[in-house]
Amino acid sequence: MKWRALVFVLAAAALCLGFGGGAREQSLRAAAQASGMLIGTAVRPADLSESAYASTLAREFNMLEPEDVLKWEVVHPERQSFDFSQGDQIVDFASRHGMKVRGHTLVWHQQNPKWLMGGNYTSGELAQILEKHIKTVVGHYRGKIFAWDVVNEAFDELQPGKLRSTIWRDQPGIGLAGNGSSYIERCFRWAHEADPQALLFYNEAGAEVVNPKSDAIYAMVRDFRQRGVPLDGVGLQMHIENLRADVASISANIKRFTALGVQVHITEMDVALPVDQSGNPRPEDLQKQADIYREVATACLSQPGCRAIQTWGFTDKYSWIGSHSKHTQGAALPFDRNYGAKSAYEALRNALAARRR
Ligand code: XIL
């Protein structure tokens, strides 16, 4: 029975070398590093005190993004005061662990404080308020936050290709209502003045595939680049629902944006699954979820200009999907509620380890 001994020795050797199915041979972080990729996740500072949360974060990721604490309602709670305490906690954690930080987000129609939304400010006042906000926040993190989502979700959900009506654009706006994307351009210029080194991104939902929304963003980005507006990248959020992802179209979209000379970051990936009342998904959906993580990661890795893949949280214990879907969806992330690696984790890591093609 010598062959049995031989098989045993070969299997043991394969496991040691890291070919073992399920063996945790390499972190996402190590695989990404070797491929020159950034692998990031959204973070809530309150969770950093949980040791499994903090150790998984430091081991698996080389980039972080504050999930909520750099949004206006947290960072700019009163007209005259800013509160950087929670953002600073994330930046400190990142610097202790050699990670980059993305900033999110300077201009959005959601999670704004009451003093702003209910203040009945004139366009002139709003322009001053917004310029001061952008310059103060970007200035505070100059040299610490390497990339910013300057403007988030400016295009409408219901009217394809149209800009959304917001306090910043036309309600009453910062004085550029009726001038298309000029108000967005102004925000990028202010951010660039505050930190000329930072990479400035336009971030959007529902524009992952080629569709009227991404067509409109493409036209805006091409125009900005042609006119020297300081825009360096496009963030594709990648919140995937119903286990549906048209990866061929996602690839084509990434390709056309990077061909304009801008970077693409996948900024908020999660793949929501239907869950039962205890929050458990169907086992067969976990494999489909893993396939989507792998295919999307591979689509990014195949384009040299696609530089970062970020998930919106990393453990199913803490994810916005639960409350967002009234708890009918969940289990959207690469780690389960006990920080165990799911099939999605293995798929993501294998895609990162396969390097750029
Ligand atoms: C979500 C956060 O995850 C939640 O904690 C918060 O309550 C609402 O916002 N697109 C974005 C993110 O750009 O900022 C949103 O984050 C999710 C959708």
Side-chain angles (χ1 to χ4, degrees):
M1 291 297 159
K2 255 191 200 159
W3 61 273
R4 269 202 191 155
L6 187 65
V7 167
F8 179 78
V9 168
L10 283 176
L15 266 174
C16 292
L17 287 170
F19 299 113
R24 173 76 61 78
E25 62 270 17
Q26 196 187 30
S27 62
L28 294 178
R29 183 176 182 157
Q33 212 95 355
S35 296
M37 283 292 288
L38 292 167
I39 179 80
T41 188
V43 171
R44 297 178 185 167
D47 302 332
L48 287 171
S49 54
E50 188 182 321
S51 71
Y53 183 95
S55 62
T56 307
L57 195 58
R59 184 184 71 232
E60 299 291 342
F61 298 94
N62 57 18
M63 181 172 81
L64 303 180
E65 176 166 310
E67 181 166 344
D68 290 301
V69 300
L70 291 183
K71 293 172 180 171
W72 278 69
E73 66 180 7
V74 181
V75 84
H76 200 163
E78 309 286 343
R79 183 167 177 188
Q80 303 301 345
S81 71
F82 289 84
D83 180 356
F84 294 110
S85 55
Q86 297 194 72
D88 290 356
Q89 278 182 47
I90 293 178
V91 169
D92 288 348
F93 184 93
S95 104
R96 276 187 275 122
H97 297 282
M99 306 157 118
K100 292 198 164 194
V101 184
R102 286 188 99 259
H104 176 80
T105 177
L106 300 166
V107 184
W108 197 25
H109 60 286
Q110 288 185 28
Q111 291 181 273
N112 286 320
K114 285 207 185 64
W115 70 262
L116 174 68
M117 301 310 280
N120 287 316
Y121 296 108
T122 63
S123 290
E125 287 169 327
L126 275 179
Q128 269 181 0
I129 290 170
L130 183 56
E131 177 176 3
K132 182 178 168 204
H133 176 90
I134 291 176
K135 292 189 173 171
T136 305
V137 177
V138 174
H140 180 83
Y141 290 111
R142 185 169 39 223
K144 296 182 175 162
I145 287 191
F146 85 108
W148 278 100
D149 289 335
V150 177
V151 178
N152 193 32
E153 299 179 352
F155 284 87
D156 206 78
E157 260 120 72
L158 305 173
Q159 306 179 72
K162 293 272 187 323
L163 285 167
R164 190 191 292 276
S165 183
T166 70
I167 188 172
W168 306 121
R169 185 171 78 92
D170 60 355
Q171 293 180 37
I174 59 169
L176 297 165
N179 283 306
S181 56
S182 314
Y183 89 95
I184 300 176
E185 170 176 349
R186 184 68 53 84
C187 299
F188 276 82
R189 292 193 186 279
W190 284 331
H192 185 66
E193 280 177 46
D195 184 355
Q197 306 299 321
L199 297 175
L200 304 182
F201 279 70
Y202 176 76
N203 194 51
E204 187 58 90
E208 291 79 10
V209 295
V210 175
N211 62 18
K213 199 191 255 192
S214 63
D215 287 349
I217 297 166
Y218 180 82
M220 177 182 80
V221 170
R222 189 178 50 194
D223 168 53
F224 281 9
R225 297 289 292 182
Q226 279 167 354
R227 291 188 299 105
V229 179
L231 176 147
D232 305 286
V234 172
L236 303 176
Q237 292 187 4
M238 210 65 72
H239 294 290
I240 293 176
E241 292 169 354
N242 305 317
L243 284 169
R244 240 180 264 140
D246 181 347
V247 182
S249 188
I250 291 171
S251 282
N253 201 32
I254 294 175
K255 194 168 184 175
R256 69 171 173 165
F257 276 111
T258 56
L260 293 174
V262 297
Q263 297 190 14
V264 168
H265 287 179
I266 291 169
T267 51
E268 306 185 11
M269 186 163 180
D270 47 26
V271 181
L273 302 181
V275 290
D276 64 21
Q277 286 187 339
S278 325
N280 295 318
R282 288 190 290 261
E284 63 268 28
D285 285 347
L286 290 168
Q287 191 50 51
K288 293 183 197 155
Q289 176 183 57
D291 292 342
I292 292 177
Y293 269 100
R294 181 181 45 254
E295 288 168 10
V296 169
T298 302
C300 177
L301 281 145
S302 322
Q303 307 292 333
C306 189
R307 310 283 266 276
I309 300 171
Q310 179 166 262
T311 57
W312 205 238
F314 58 97
T315 164
D316 292 337
K317 186 171 182 181
Y318 305 116
S319 159
W320 79 303
I321 293 293
S323 55
H324 182 65
S325 67
K326 302 200 169 70
H327 301 280
T328 60
Q329 310 274 309
L333 293 166
F335 290 91
D336 67 22
R337 282 171 292 186
N338 301 312
Y339 299 93
K342 294 161 64 180
S343 301
Y345 171 90
E346 304 293 343
L348 192 51
R349 195 201 49 209
N350 291 343
L352 288 166
R355 310 232 172 153
R356 293 196 179 275
R357 269 176 271 171

